[in-house]
Amino acid sequence: MDDLFDSSLNLEDTHYKEGYDEGYSHGLVTGKEEARQVGLKVGFEVGEELGFYRGCVEIWTSAIRLDPTCFSPRAKTFICQMEELIQKYPLMDPENAQVQEIMDSLRLKFKMACSSLHVKLEYNGYPKSSTEVNDIQF
Amino acid sequence: MEGRFAEELYAESLQLSKLELTSTSADDQENKANVCDGDDLSLWDESDDKLESSSDLDREWQRRHDQFHTIGYRDGLIAGKEAAAQEGFNFGFKQSVLDGHSWGVVRGVTSAFSHLPHQLKERLIETQKKRNELLGLYESVHSLSTTDCLRLFSEEIKAQEALEQSEHSEVSHHTAGLQEQPSHGSELRNYREQLESLIRDSPAIDIHLPKPK
């Protein structure tokens, strides 16, 4: 009786493992491609936002270079802080634990810089509508 | 007297004959019944036995196989996807982040410039014509949402990958070279090149636009 049950359980294990191995190898392929699609979207969005802040800072620093008195000291401080955060951002390291913190700081400094400069600038690329973005397939 | 005896004799003979027939008929029926029963039994036994040993057991094995194989497959699929997720994400992320960044700089430069006080605009870009060009570029760039850009970038990636595949399958390098030359002038790339051109002509703007790749 024990032998009979053992035999039956072994057979079930064999079936399960067979299925598991097959599913795992399929999962590696489909999972990698699905994750790559997500990575492409997120990478573009993150890169664009960071590039936007960098572009703003470079225009502002060019202006300061021409006329050091064109912006208030407070505004200049925020612009400098933005520059530091941009340089600090590990663009090619998506797994870095600091990325979210740095981006949040950047967003805050950007708003404060714009306020000091009295300009109504806004980054329009914020992923406001996730359903739209999900439609895009690479 | 004679007539009566004859009648008696015939009647008796006739009766005996009938009895014989009945007996034979009964025997035949019994025999047939036996044969029939035997055949049915043996057929029934055999067929039942075969069904039990082959069909039923096969069905049972197949049912168990399908059941456990399916459960295993599902668990394996989930595990495989989880194992590949980070690698896949990182791969895709690195494929796009520099292009996104390059495009973002175009957005940032054009936006920040368009919102500068007029006198600063004049000092950064001295000619009215070039200032107008930059402001026009800002309008074009500003009208594209990130979703629009992702779609354009997606088309770019697909075209690039299709080209790479055709290159691999190409035997003639000459043909491949020809195909490469008319590289897909993407909208995003064009805007960046326009901005580069404007900045090159304006030494006051000291900006190094990052190349996508």
Side-chain angles (χ1 to χ4, degrees), chain A residues 17-50:
Chain A
K17 179 152 175 51
E18 215 177 85
Y20 187 96
D21 289 349
E22 192 180 331
Y24 191 89
S25 67
H26 288 179
L28 284 179
V29 174
T30 60
K32 185 173 180 182
E33 180 54 27
E34 284 168 16
R36 186 182 84 99
Q37 294 289 319
V38 177
L40 280 161
K41 288 171 201 162
V42 175
F44 190 87
E45 286 170 356
V46 168
E48 190 197 54
E49 183 170 4
L50 196 78

Side-chain angles (χ1 to χ4, degrees), chain A residues 6-131:
Chain A
D6 283 352
S7 178
S8 181
L9 286 174
N10 288 339
L11 190 65
E12 287 168 4
D13 280 352
T14 301
H15 293 330
Y16 178 90
K17 179 152 175 51
E18 215 177 85
Y20 187 96
D21 289 349
E22 192 180 331
Y24 191 89
S25 67
H26 288 179
L28 284 179
V29 174
T30 60
K32 185 173 180 182
E33 180 54 27
E34 284 168 16
R36 186 182 84 99
Q37 294 289 319
V38 177
L40 280 161
K41 288 171 201 162
V42 175
F44 190 87
E45 286 170 356
V46 168
E48 190 197 54
E49 183 170 4
L50 196 78
F52 175 83
Y53 297 137
R54 176 173 167 177
C56 291
V57 163
E58 290 189 345
I59 282 286
W60 291 334
T61 52
S62 292
I64 291 167
R65 210 174 294 115
L66 272 184
D67 179 6
T69 65
C70 66
F71 297 145
S72 71
R74 190 160 183 268
K76 282 192 239 177
T77 299
F78 291 131
I79 292 167
C80 273
Q81 287 171 350
M82 280 186 72
E83 191 159 19
E84 283 166 16
L85 288 167
I86 288 163
Q87 284 172 14
K88 191 176 167 186
Y89 195 95
L91 196 60
M92 294 303 288
D93 186 8
E95 287 187 79
N96 191 303
Q98 282 191 306
V99 291
Q100 193 58 54
E101 186 189 340
I102 297 174
M103 187 59 88
D104 287 343
S105 291
L106 252 175
R107 286 173 181 157
L108 185 63
K109 298 299 178 187
F110 175 71
K111 283 175 181 171
M112 295 173 93
C114 289
S115 177
S116 301
L117 295 167
H118 310 294
V119 297
K120 284 202 170 182
L121 258 179
E122 186 184 329
Y123 174 60
N124 292 303
Y126 285 151
K128 294 165 184 171
S129 169
S130 61
T131 53

Side-chain angles (χ1 to χ4, degrees), chain B residues 24-190:
Chain B
T24 304
S25 178
D27 280 349
D28 280 348
Q29 280 180 7
E30 278 182 19
N31 284 336
K32 284 180 182 178
N34 284 333
V35 169
C36 192
D37 283 351
D39 284 349
D40 281 353
L41 279 171
S42 69
L43 280 174
W44 184 77
D45 281 340
E46 280 183 20
S47 66
D48 191 56
D49 191 45
K50 281 179 181 177
L51 281 170
E52 192 80 77
S53 64
S54 63
S55 297
D56 280 358
L57 284 184
D58 279 355
R59 274 199 294 270
E60 177 65 14
W61 188 91
Q62 192 65 41
R63 189 182 68 80
R64 279 167 177 248
H65 173 271
D66 291 351
Q67 181 184 3
F68 287 96
H69 190 275
T70 299
I71 292 168
Y73 183 92
R74 188 179 60 214
D75 290 352
L77 189 73
I78 291 166
K81 285 194 177 190
E82 282 177 5
Q86 191 64 61
E87 186 193 351
F89 179 89
N90 291 355
F91 184 75
F93 188 96
K94 289 172 182 176
Q95 268 190 298
S96 67
V97 70
L98 292 180
D99 279 282
H101 184 258
S102 173
W103 169 248
V105 171
V106 172
R107 275 198 186 285
V109 167
T110 56
S111 295
F113 180 85
S114 73
H115 287 77
L116 283 178
H118 189 65
Q119 59 183 16
L120 279 175
K121 282 178 187 169
E122 283 183 341
R123 293 188 65 179
L124 282 167
I125 299 187
E126 286 166 354
T127 68
Q128 181 68 48
K129 180 170 181 279
K130 295 242 180 284
R131 284 201 298 276
N132 287 344
E133 280 177 33
L134 186 50
L135 291 172
L137 183 59
Y138 164 71
E139 294 296 332
S140 300
V141 166
H142 192 71
S143 70
L144 289 172
S145 70
T146 292
T147 303
D148 296 330
C149 298
L150 271 166
R151 199 168 280 118
L152 290 168
F153 178 65
S154 153
E155 284 160 14
E156 221 179 293
I157 287 267
K158 281 175 181 170
Q160 189 180 322
E161 284 171 358
L163 186 64
E164 280 168 4
Q165 279 178 19
S166 72
E167 273 178 19
H168 282 309
S169 63
E170 282 290 343
V171 177
S172 168
H173 290 288
H174 181 66
T175 311
L178 282 180
Q179 280 185 9
E180 277 182 50
Q181 279 175 11
S183 64
H184 300 270
S186 86
E187 205 168 330
L188 304 184
R189 209 175 296 271
N190 288 341

